Amino acid sequence: MVVYWEYAFAENALLDGLLLYLSLRCVRLRVYVRRLFPAAAIGGAEAVVFPVLALPVWAAYTVKVLGGVLICLVAARGGWKKCAAATAVFFALTFALGGLLTAVYSFFGVETADGTGFYVERAPVALIFAGAGSFLCAVLAGVRALYRYKKVQQNILPCTLAVGARRVTWTGFADSGNRLSFRGEPVCVLSAAAVFALFGASPPAVGRIEVGTVNGKCERPVFRVDVIAVGAYRGGAYVTVGDVGKGYQVIIHTALLEETHEHFFHTQVMAAKDKGR
């Protein structure tokens, strides 16, 4: 069998570049093109040189692993934990892509020859990159979905509110899109059922606030709760009534959570806007 080294180099460099890109994105490291290209080139060079080496099986796998670690260290830039995570993800994705290509080869009847710690495949380049492209899209979509789910879960918090002798605990959602303020203080949003449970049929309003909805802007009453306990925050707060979505009774203003970590940016912005009106 005749092997053209330039084709082997280009094919493996592109595949390594793809896997390195995915690995960096998975651990949220910045992708530097000036580091990614040399790392992929090293991977391509390893693929060309490796079959020439007459190594026993254990040494062949050792060299392959060390080569993978090397190209990850070249491509990744960050703390050692992030680099280690990127390396682990790189090997996991390499095994996953290898399994996918093996399944594709089996399906299309592509022959492979078992060598010294590696496989030589007789597969069309288009077939390889079609499988790799599908793998890229699937992994990126999965990573985005995972991070979206994780972000949503981090914003779901138990929230206890008290007015006089009435005390209730609900599931709240910390929404950075809630920029409501009243008298320079943040305003949380309660469902109509939550307002009734806390204040009864005739809740005492302390004022009114303009709220933007899908149907335009409207005025809503503002109430004062004696205690709202969410995260590390515990104190009084203003609330209004509105649509909070399914599964929640409270839309928590993120300024309440930021104050507990001594971040006052959003609160200061809202107070400045309130003074300007």
Side-chain angles (χ1 to χ4, degrees):
M1 181 179 66
V2 178
V3 178
Y4 296 95
W5 70 266
E6 60 271 24
Y7 293 157
F9 173 83
E11 179 182 329
N12 284 276
L14 287 172
L15 288 177
D16 284 334
L18 165 69
L19 293 171
L20 288 169
Y21 174 80
L22 288 176
S23 303
L24 297 175
R25 290 291 302 272
C26 285
V27 299
R28 291 191 166 184
L29 279 176
R30 184 175 177 181
V31 179
Y32 292 94
V33 175
R34 65 179 183 273
R35 301 177 68 91
L36 184 64
F37 278 9
I42 293 173
E46 289 175 356
V48 173
V49 174
F50 184 78
V52 180
L53 303 177
L55 298 174
V57 174
W58 68 267
Y61 281 108
T62 301
V63 171
K64 293 289 284 185
V65 169
L66 293 177
V69 173
L70 173 63
I71 64 176
C72 288
L73 293 178
V74 172
R77 181 178 180 181
W80 70 269
K81 290 183 179 180
K82 284 284 189 177
C83 291
T87 303
V89 172
F90 174 78
F91 280 107
L93 293 177
T94 300
F95 292 138
L97 179 59
L100 173 64
L101 292 179
T102 300
V104 172
Y105 296 161
S106 176
F107 181 80
F108 287 99
V110 177
E111 297 180 358
T112 58
D114 191 4
T116 309
F118 64 96
Y119 284 96
V120 178
E121 70 272 4
R122 299 177 178 88
V125 175
L127 179 62
I128 296 174
F129 284 104
S134 301
F135 184 74
L136 167 67
C137 295
V139 171
L140 286 179
V143 169
R144 290 193 185 103
L146 177 62
Y147 278 118
R148 282 197 299 268
Y149 175 79
K150 184 179 179 180
K151 184 176 180 180
V152 169
Q153 292 300 310
Q154 288 176 339
N155 290 338
I156 298 175
L157 301 167
C159 183
T160 300
L161 299 95
V163 175
R166 297 184 180 183
R167 180 179 297 269
V168 292
T169 299
W170 289 301
T171 299
F173 181 75
D175 186 2
S176 59
N178 177 12
R179 299 296 182 87
L180 298 175
S181 65
F182 181 75
R183 297 174 182 172
E185 295 187 31
V187 178
C188 298
V189 182
L190 304 183
S191 66
V195 171
F196 178 80
L198 277 172
F199 298 99
S202 301
V206 296
R208 301 187 69 82
I209 188 175
E210 188 178 75
V211 178
T213 66
V214 292
N215 297 319
K217 294 183 178 181
C218 62
E219 285 195 347
R220 299 282 174 84
V222 178
F223 315 104
R224 183 77 180 181
V225 296
D226 299 331
V227 176
I228 179 171
V230 54
Y233 178 84
R234 183 180 178 86
Y238 289 112
V239 298
T240 189
V241 61
D243 299 325
V244 299
K246 295 182 180 180
Y248 314 110
Q249 294 292 338
V250 187
I251 297 297
I252 305 164
H253 199 296
T254 53
L256 299 181
L257 303 175
E258 289 168 354
E259 276 191 7
T260 63
H261 296 89
E262 299 182 356
H263 296 310
F264 299 96
F265 175 73
H266 290 303
T267 306
Q268 291 172 347
V269 170
M270 290 185 296
K273 289 182 177 179
D274 185 71
K275 290 179 181 178
R277 285 199 294 266

